[in-house]
Structure formats: C-alpha cells, structure tokens
Amino acid sequence: MHVYQKSDKWIEGEYPAILAIGDSWFWYPGNNILQALIRNKSLRTDYSNIQAVGNNGALLQEYVGAGKYAAAVERNLTPDARKYYNVFMISGAGNDAVDYKLALKADCSGITDPKTCLDPVGIDDFLRKVSTAMGGLVHEIRWAYKDAAKQVRPIFIHGYDYPTPDGRGFDILDIPIVGPWLKPALDAAKVKNDAAFRLAVVHELIARLNAVFKTFDDWPNNVVYIDSLGTLSSGADYRKDWANELHPTSSGFDKIVAQRWMPILKQWGIAK
C-alpha cells in the first residue's frame, strides 16, 4: 500500500490505480483522506496504491491552465502514466476560500443574519472560479481518455465538512507552523465575536461551496460528489474530530472515509 508523492518512484508491480489531485485533505501529515483510504480494510487491494498530485496549501485553480500543479497533472495524463489509472479523486477550493477572505463583506459589524455576512458579488465570483477550475480539471481527465477503449473511470470529488473558526492553526510541539485561516478573516471583516454566529457564517460558506461541487455529480457519466457535511462534530466536543480550523484529527479523517467514502466506493466496486 502506497501513496506516492511528487518524485517518488513507483515500485515494480505496485503501480497506482488511483490518481488523487488535491490539497491538504489529501496531504495532511499523520493522516488524511488518502492514508485513511489505503488503511481501510474495505478498500480492494487493486486500489491500494495511489499517486498524489498537489500539496498542502494548493489552490483548486492551480491544477489547471498555467497553475502551479497543472504540469504535474498533465504528466500524469500522458499515455505512459494514464494507462495505470482507473480512478480519479479531487480535493480543492478550501485554500481558494481563504485567499478570497471567505468572500465576506468588508464590514459585517451590525449584521445579525449570518448569511448576509457573505458579499453577494464576492461569493458569486469565488464560486464561479471554483466551478470553472473544477470543470476544467474534470475535462482534462476525460479528454485524456477520449480515444481509449471504453472503460469506467470514475472521478470522485471530495466535499469538505463544516469546520469551527476557533483560531487554531497547525503546530508542531506547540510551535505555530501555519494558520489559523478562518478567524483572521472573520476578525478583519468585523464579524460579531460570537462563537455560534461565526460558526453559522462559516457553515453558510461551506454549504454553498459544496452546492457547487454537487452540480458536478453525474453518476451516469462517472463523476461522483462525496458529501461529507455533518460527519464531524460542530458541537461542544468538536475538538475530538477537528485538529485545527481546517483539518480533521486522525480519527476524524478515518470517520469521513468510513462513513462517506466507503459506502460509495463499494457501489463502484472499489471497496468490498
């Protein structure tokens, strides 16, 4: 079982059947969606080797066009590489949202409805760019196989769960490394300093982002959206599921894979 990264050389006879293009939910140290997948005993051994493209902090827009990781995607879709892949997985747009400062209004002070903290023009522009990038990536994968023998090659689009904007970033031995990502944007926009209100603002953003992902859900044409919403806790015990503002704990990743990924992968013959 391997998750090959960047310049890792493939082991003879252990070639990857899955190409996973994604951000930190595919790359997070210790555990992530991909590591949780290959450790899950329900995954069929034919799919236990994965090639990962992207990185922590990657933007969805960087996988296409002149983006930072577009060349790596293209290399993996050349004839010599793509002949091994039967399954594709995509995770992205969380970092894009952070770059967009969560698409919040410049000044949310005095706002009492969490939904109206999102800037109508900003959120529409953000979601349009997410949709364009996701559509472009799906197109690149399909185009690579347009002349290949007819075979089912599903594309799975990962959807994020609802995080809690509590100001926690990623640290090692209590040394801050990166983040937080959500609280600074909320503070800058003068969002009411109430935990429940801020949680509702973030929930609205994540719900709308997932709604865009869901528009790509097209099982007859082998594109599948994985809905993770509501899997992890947003209640008083949320820290058992969330390591920081953007990433689940190790057990949180396992929970999402077990509860949301595996039931769908079983329907596609990828898990048993």
Side-chain angles (χ1 to χ4, degrees), residues 184-216:
L186 294 165
D187 288 344
K190 302 176 184 176
V191 176
K192 183 167 64 172
N193 192 18
D194 175 82
F197 186 87
R198 289 188 164 203
L199 184 64
V201 172
V202 172
H203 275 215
E204 178 65 15
L205 172 64
I206 296 300
R208 294 187 65 173
L209 178 58
N210 274 274
V212 171
F213 294 154
K214 192 172 182 179
T215 64
F216 290 93

mmCIF file of all heavy atoms in Angstrom, residues 184-216:
data_model
loop_
_atom_site.group_PDB
_atom_site.id
_atom_site.type_symbol
_atom_site.label_atom_id
_atom_site.label_comp_id
_atom_site.label_asym_id
_atom_site.label_seq_id
_atom_site.Cartn_x
_atom_site.Cartn_y
_atom_site.Cartn_z
ATOM 1 N N PRO A 184 -8.849 34.962 11.373
ATOM 2 C CA PRO A 184 -8.330 36.257 10.919
ATOM 3 C C PRO A 184 -9.235 36.951 9.902
ATOM 4 O O PRO A 184 -9.398 38.174 9.946
ATOM 5 C CB PRO A 184 -6.972 35.880 10.299
ATOM 6 C CG PRO A 184 -6.563 34.657 11.049
ATOM 7 C CD PRO A 184 -7.838 33.894 11.247
ATOM 8 N N ALA A 185 -9.827 36.178 8.993
ATOM 9 C CA ALA A 185 -10.726 36.772 8.002
ATOM 10 C C ALA A 185 -11.993 37.292 8.665
ATOM 11 O O ALA A 185 -12.497 38.370 8.322
ATOM 12 C CB ALA A 185 -11.076 35.740 6.929
ATOM 13 N N LEU A 186 -12.509 36.549 9.626
ATOM 14 C CA LEU A 186 -13.712 36.978 10.349
ATOM 15 C C LEU A 186 -13.431 38.232 11.170
ATOM 16 O O LEU A 186 -14.253 39.157 11.231
ATOM 17 C CB LEU A 186 -14.211 35.843 11.247
ATOM 18 C CG LEU A 186 -14.717 34.589 10.517
ATOM 19 C CD1 LEU A 186 -14.830 33.418 11.484
ATOM 20 C CD2 LEU A 186 -16.053 34.840 9.842
ATOM 21 N N ASP A 187 -12.249 38.257 11.791
ATOM 22 C CA ASP A 187 -11.865 39.443 12.567
ATOM 23 C C ASP A 187 -11.736 40.668 11.658
ATOM 24 O O ASP A 187 -12.218 41.764 11.988
ATOM 25 C CB ASP A 187 -10.534 39.205 13.279
ATOM 26 C CG ASP A 187 -10.642 38.226 14.439
ATOM 27 O OD1 ASP A 187 -11.776 37.962 14.896
ATOM 28 O OD2 ASP A 187 -9.591 37.735 14.893
ATOM 29 N N ALA A 188 -11.084 40.482 10.506
ATOM 30 C CA ALA A 188 -10.861 41.601 9.587
ATOM 31 C C ALA A 188 -12.169 42.178 9.070
ATOM 32 O O ALA A 188 -12.274 43.386 8.824
ATOM 33 C CB ALA A 188 -9.980 41.156 8.423
ATOM 34 N N ALA A 189 -13.172 41.288 8.908
ATOM 35 C CA ALA A 189 -14.475 41.727 8.416
ATOM 36 C C ALA A 189 -15.388 42.208 9.542
ATOM 37 O O ALA A 189 -16.554 42.525 9.303
ATOM 38 C CB ALA A 189 -15.147 40.595 7.646
ATOM 39 N N LYS A 190 -14.885 42.240 10.753
ATOM 40 C CA LYS A 190 -15.630 42.713 11.920
ATOM 41 C C LYS A 190 -16.917 41.909 12.149
ATOM 42 O O LYS A 190 -17.951 42.456 12.523
ATOM 43 C CB LYS A 190 -15.957 44.200 11.780
ATOM 44 C CG LYS A 190 -14.727 45.085 11.606
ATOM 45 C CD LYS A 190 -15.108 46.534 11.387
ATOM 46 C CE LYS A 190 -13.872 47.392 11.110
ATOM 47 N NZ LYS A 190 -14.225 48.795 10.806
ATOM 48 N N VAL A 191 -16.801 40.606 11.922
ATOM 49 C CA VAL A 191 -17.940 39.723 12.189
ATOM 50 C C VAL A 191 -18.148 39.640 13.694
ATOM 51 O O VAL A 191 -17.179 39.555 14.467
ATOM 52 C CB VAL A 191 -17.682 38.318 11.600
ATOM 53 C CG1 VAL A 191 -18.827 37.361 11.961
ATOM 54 C CG2 VAL A 191 -17.523 38.403 10.089
ATOM 55 N N LYS A 192 -19.395 39.667 14.104
ATOM 56 C CA LYS A 192 -19.725 39.636 15.529
ATOM 57 C C LYS A 192 -18.936 38.552 16.245
ATOM 58 O O LYS A 192 -18.909 37.400 15.815
ATOM 59 C CB LYS A 192 -21.229 39.418 15.712
ATOM 60 C CG LYS A 192 -21.677 39.441 17.175
ATOM 61 C CD LYS A 192 -23.189 39.537 17.295
ATOM 62 C CE LYS A 192 -23.910 38.327 16.720
ATOM 63 N NZ LYS A 192 -25.366 38.367 17.023
ATOM 64 N N ASN A 193 -18.304 38.926 17.361
ATOM 65 C CA ASN A 193 -17.453 38.000 18.093
ATOM 66 C C ASN A 193 -18.286 37.091 18.989
ATOM 67 O O ASN A 193 -18.227 37.155 20.221
ATOM 68 C CB ASN A 193 -16.421 38.761 18.921
ATOM 69 C CG ASN A 193 -15.328 37.851 19.460
ATOM 70 O OD1 ASN A 193 -15.152 36.743 18.964
ATOM 71 N ND2 ASN A 193 -14.621 38.308 20.472
ATOM 72 N N ASP A 194 -19.064 36.263 18.324
ATOM 73 C CA ASP A 194 -19.918 35.288 18.992
ATOM 74 C C ASP A 194 -19.678 33.944 18.317
ATOM 75 O O ASP A 194 -19.816 33.815 17.090
ATOM 76 C CB ASP A 194 -21.385 35.700 18.862
ATOM 77 C CG ASP A 194 -22.334 34.663 19.425
ATOM 78 O OD1 ASP A 194 -22.540 34.647 20.643
ATOM 79 O OD2 ASP A 194 -22.852 33.850 18.624
ATOM 80 N N ALA A 195 -19.312 32.933 19.101
ATOM 81 C CA ALA A 195 -18.902 31.651 18.526
ATOM 82 C C ALA A 195 -19.994 31.029 17.658
ATOM 83 O O ALA A 195 -19.714 30.542 16.547
ATOM 84 C CB ALA A 195 -18.509 30.681 19.644
ATOM 85 N N ALA A 196 -21.230 31.035 18.133
ATOM 86 C CA ALA A 196 -22.315 30.428 17.371
ATOM 87 C C ALA A 196 -22.576 31.187 16.077
ATOM 88 O O ALA A 196 -22.836 30.588 15.023
ATOM 89 C CB ALA A 196 -23.587 30.375 18.218
ATOM 90 N N PHE A 197 -22.504 32.522 16.135
ATOM 91 C CA PHE A 197 -22.733 33.340 14.946
ATOM 92 C C PHE A 197 -21.635 33.092 13.912
ATOM 93 O O PHE A 197 -21.910 32.899 12.717
ATOM 94 C CB PHE A 197 -22.776 34.818 15.334
ATOM 95 C CG PHE A 197 -23.159 35.736 14.215
ATOM 96 C CD1 PHE A 197 -24.494 36.008 13.945
ATOM 97 C CD2 PHE A 197 -22.185 36.331 13.425
ATOM 98 C CE1 PHE A 197 -24.851 36.854 12.900
ATOM 99 C CE2 PHE A 197 -22.534 37.176 12.387
ATOM 100 C CZ PHE A 197 -23.873 37.440 12.119
ATOM 101 N N ARG A 198 -20.392 33.081 14.359
ATOM 102 C CA ARG A 198 -19.280 32.857 13.436
ATOM 103 C C ARG A 198 -19.326 31.451 12.838
ATOM 104 O O ARG A 198 -19.006 31.255 11.659
ATOM 105 C CB ARG A 198 -17.950 33.107 14.155
ATOM 106 C CG ARG A 198 -17.718 34.584 14.447
ATOM 107 C CD ARG A 198 -16.338 34.867 14.989
ATOM 108 N NE ARG A 198 -16.051 36.296 14.894
ATOM 109 C CZ ARG A 198 -14.835 36.819 14.870
ATOM 110 N NH1 ARG A 198 -13.771 36.030 14.960
ATOM 111 N NH2 ARG A 198 -14.662 38.122 14.756
ATOM 112 N N LEU A 199 -19.721 30.494 13.642
ATOM 113 C CA LEU A 199 -19.876 29.139 13.128
ATOM 114 C C LEU A 199 -20.920 29.113 12.018
ATOM 115 O O LEU A 199 -20.735 28.455 10.981
ATOM 116 C CB LEU A 199 -20.275 28.195 14.264
ATOM 117 C CG LEU A 199 -20.387 26.700 13.924
ATOM 118 C CD1 LEU A 199 -19.041 26.137 13.509
ATOM 119 C CD2 LEU A 199 -20.939 25.929 15.112
ATOM 120 N N ALA A 200 -22.016 29.837 12.205
ATOM 121 C CA ALA A 200 -23.077 29.877 11.205
ATOM 122 C C ALA A 200 -22.607 30.540 9.910
ATOM 123 O O ALA A 200 -23.003 30.125 8.810
ATOM 124 C CB ALA A 200 -24.295 30.613 11.764
ATOM 125 N N VAL A 201 -21.764 31.562 10.025
ATOM 126 C CA VAL A 201 -21.217 32.217 8.826
ATOM 127 C C VAL A 201 -20.377 31.225 8.024
ATOM 128 O O VAL A 201 -20.524 31.097 6.800
ATOM 129 C CB VAL A 201 -20.364 33.445 9.217
ATOM 130 C CG1 VAL A 201 -19.631 34.000 7.985
ATOM 131 C CG2 VAL A 201 -21.231 34.526 9.845
ATOM 132 N N VAL A 202 -19.505 30.503 8.716
ATOM 133 C CA VAL A 202 -18.641 29.529 8.046
ATOM 134 C C VAL A 202 -19.473 28.390 7.466
ATOM 135 O O VAL A 202 -19.204 27.907 6.356
ATOM 136 C CB VAL A 202 -17.562 29.006 9.013
ATOM 137 C CG1 VAL A 202 -16.784 27.859 8.390
ATOM 138 C CG2 VAL A 202 -16.616 30.138 9.403
ATOM 139 N N HIS A 203 -20.498 27.961 8.185
ATOM 140 C CA HIS A 203 -21.376 26.904 7.676
ATOM 141 C C HIS A 203 -22.022 27.326 6.363
ATOM 142 O O HIS A 203 -22.143 26.513 5.435
ATOM 143 C CB HIS A 203 -22.453 26.569 8.706
ATOM 144 C CG HIS A 203 -22.004 25.569 9.730
ATOM 145 N ND1 HIS A 203 -22.842 24.618 10.270
ATOM 146 C CD2 HIS A 203 -20.797 25.365 10.317
ATOM 147 C CE1 HIS A 203 -22.179 23.882 11.144
ATOM 148 N NE2 HIS A 203 -20.943 24.315 11.190
ATOM 149 N N GLU A 204 -22.448 28.575 6.280
ATOM 150 C CA GLU A 204 -23.073 29.062 5.050
ATOM 151 C C GLU A 204 -22.087 29.018 3.889
ATOM 152 O O GLU A 204 -22.438 28.594 2.774
ATOM 153 C CB GLU A 204 -23.579 30.492 5.261
ATOM 154 C CG GLU A 204 -24.200 31.122 4.036
ATOM 155 C CD GLU A 204 -25.475 30.450 3.566
ATOM 156 O OE1 GLU A 204 -26.070 29.658 4.330
ATOM 157 O OE2 GLU A 204 -25.899 30.729 2.422
ATOM 158 N N LEU A 205 -20.858 29.440 4.127
ATOM 159 C CA LEU A 205 -19.843 29.398 3.077
ATOM 160 C C LEU A 205 -19.580 27.970 2.614
ATOM 161 O O LEU A 205 -19.555 27.686 1.403
ATOM 162 C CB LEU A 205 -18.550 30.029 3.588
ATOM 163 C CG LEU A 205 -17.321 29.892 2.668
ATOM 164 C CD1 LEU A 205 -17.537 30.616 1.349
ATOM 165 C CD2 LEU A 205 -16.063 30.400 3.367
ATOM 166 N N ILE A 206 -19.390 27.063 3.560
ATOM 167 C CA ILE A 206 -19.077 25.673 3.212
ATOM 168 C C ILE A 206 -20.271 25.000 2.519
ATOM 169 O O ILE A 206 -20.089 24.215 1.578
ATOM 170 C CB ILE A 206 -18.659 24.878 4.470
ATOM 171 C CG1 ILE A 206 -17.355 25.455 5.039
ATOM 172 C CG2 ILE A 206 -18.484 23.393 4.147
ATOM 173 C CD1 ILE A 206 -16.170 25.408 4.096
ATOM 174 N N ALA A 207 -21.470 25.316 2.955
ATOM 175 C CA ALA A 207 -22.662 24.760 2.307
ATOM 176 C C ALA A 207 -22.750 25.208 0.856
ATOM 177 O O ALA A 207 -23.057 24.414 -0.048
ATOM 178 C CB ALA A 207 -23.918 25.166 3.067
ATOM 179 N N ARG A 208 -22.455 26.472 0.610
ATOM 180 C CA ARG A 208 -22.533 26.987 -0.751
ATOM 181 C C ARG A 208 -21.407 26.437 -1.629
ATOM 182 O O ARG A 208 -21.604 26.182 -2.825
ATOM 183 C CB ARG A 208 -22.533 28.511 -0.731
ATOM 184 C CG ARG A 208 -23.792 29.064 -0.071
ATOM 185 C CD ARG A 208 -23.939 30.552 -0.176
ATOM 186 N NE ARG A 208 -24.120 30.983 -1.568
ATOM 187 C CZ ARG A 208 -24.411 32.234 -1.917
ATOM 188 N NH1 ARG A 208 -24.564 33.169 -0.997
ATOM 189 N NH2 ARG A 208 -24.542 32.555 -3.193
ATOM 190 N N LEU A 209 -20.244 26.227 -1.043
ATOM 191 C CA LEU A 209 -19.152 25.615 -1.780
ATOM 192 C C LEU A 209 -19.499 24.185 -2.169
ATOM 193 O O LEU A 209 -19.290 23.759 -3.316
ATOM 194 C CB LEU A 209 -17.878 25.646 -0.934
ATOM 195 C CG LEU A 209 -16.625 25.009 -1.530
ATOM 196 C CD1 LEU A 209 -16.260 25.650 -2.861
ATOM 197 C CD2 LEU A 209 -15.463 25.106 -0.545
ATOM 198 N N ASN A 210 -20.055 23.438 -1.222
ATOM 199 C CA ASN A 210 -20.449 22.064 -1.521
ATOM 200 C C ASN A 210 -21.573 22.005 -2.558
ATOM 201 O O ASN A 210 -21.646 21.063 -3.347
ATOM 202 C CB ASN A 210 -20.867 21.349 -0.242
ATOM 203 C CG ASN A 210 -19.694 20.729 0.483
ATOM 204 O OD1 ASN A 210 -19.285 19.601 0.201
ATOM 205 N ND2 ASN A 210 -19.119 21.470 1.423
ATOM 206 N N ALA A 211 -22.435 23.003 -2.559
ATOM 207 C CA ALA A 211 -23.509 23.037 -3.557
ATOM 208 C C ALA A 211 -22.927 23.132 -4.969
ATOM 209 O O ALA A 211 -23.472 22.552 -5.917
ATOM 210 C CB ALA A 211 -24.443 24.214 -3.283
ATOM 211 N N VAL A 212 -21.804 23.842 -5.115
ATOM 212 C CA VAL A 212 -21.131 23.906 -6.408
ATOM 213 C C VAL A 212 -20.556 22.537 -6.771
ATOM 214 O O VAL A 212 -20.705 22.062 -7.899
ATOM 215 C CB VAL A 212 -20.027 24.971 -6.405
ATOM 216 C CG1 VAL A 212 -19.170 24.888 -7.667
ATOM 217 C CG2 VAL A 212 -20.636 26.357 -6.288
ATOM 218 N N PHE A 213 -19.910 21.886 -5.818
ATOM 219 C CA PHE A 213 -19.374 20.545 -6.084
ATOM 220 C C PHE A 213 -20.495 19.594 -6.518
ATOM 221 O O PHE A 213 -20.311 18.766 -7.417
ATOM 222 C CB PHE A 213 -18.691 19.980 -4.839
ATOM 223 C CG PHE A 213 -17.460 20.713 -4.398
ATOM 224 C CD1 PHE A 213 -17.051 20.681 -3.068
ATOM 225 C CD2 PHE A 213 -16.692 21.433 -5.293
ATOM 226 C CE1 PHE A 213 -15.911 21.343 -2.647
ATOM 227 C CE2 PHE A 213 -15.537 22.100 -4.886
ATOM 228 C CZ PHE A 213 -15.155 22.051 -3.559
ATOM 229 N N LYS A 214 -21.629 19.729 -5.874
ATOM 230 C CA LYS A 214 -22.745 18.810 -6.160
ATOM 231 C C LYS A 214 -23.258 18.955 -7.583
ATOM 232 O O LYS A 214 -23.812 18.012 -8.142
ATOM 233 C CB LYS A 214 -23.878 19.049 -5.154
ATOM 234 C CG LYS A 214 -24.948 17.960 -5.183
ATOM 235 C CD LYS A 214 -25.941 18.131 -4.055
ATOM 236 C CE LYS A 214 -26.967 16.996 -4.088
ATOM 237 N NZ LYS A 214 -27.948 17.118 -2.973
ATOM 238 N N THR A 215 -23.086 20.129 -8.197
ATOM 239 C CA THR A 215 -23.548 20.297 -9.577
ATOM 240 C C THR A 215 -22.784 19.391 -10.541
ATOM 241 O O THR A 215 -23.261 19.130 -11.652
ATOM 242 C CB THR A 215 -23.407 21.762 -10.048
ATOM 243 O OG1 THR A 215 -22.018 22.131 -10.081
ATOM 244 C CG2 THR A 215 -24.176 22.708 -9.145
ATOM 245 N N PHE A 216 -21.614 18.910 -10.122
ATOM 246 C CA PHE A 216 -20.833 18.016 -10.981
ATOM 247 C C PHE A 216 -21.229 16.546 -10.801
ATOM 248 O O PHE A 216 -20.779 15.692 -11.571
ATOM 249 C CB PHE A 216 -19.339 18.186 -10.700
ATOM 250 C CG PHE A 216 -18.787 19.499 -11.158
ATOM 251 C CD1 PHE A 216 -18.722 20.589 -10.293
ATOM 252 C CD2 PHE A 216 -18.350 19.672 -12.464
ATOM 253 C CE1 PHE A 216 -18.238 21.813 -10.719
ATOM 254 C CE2 PHE A 216 -17.862 20.888 -12.903
ATOM 255 C CZ PHE A 216 -17.808 21.968 -12.035
#
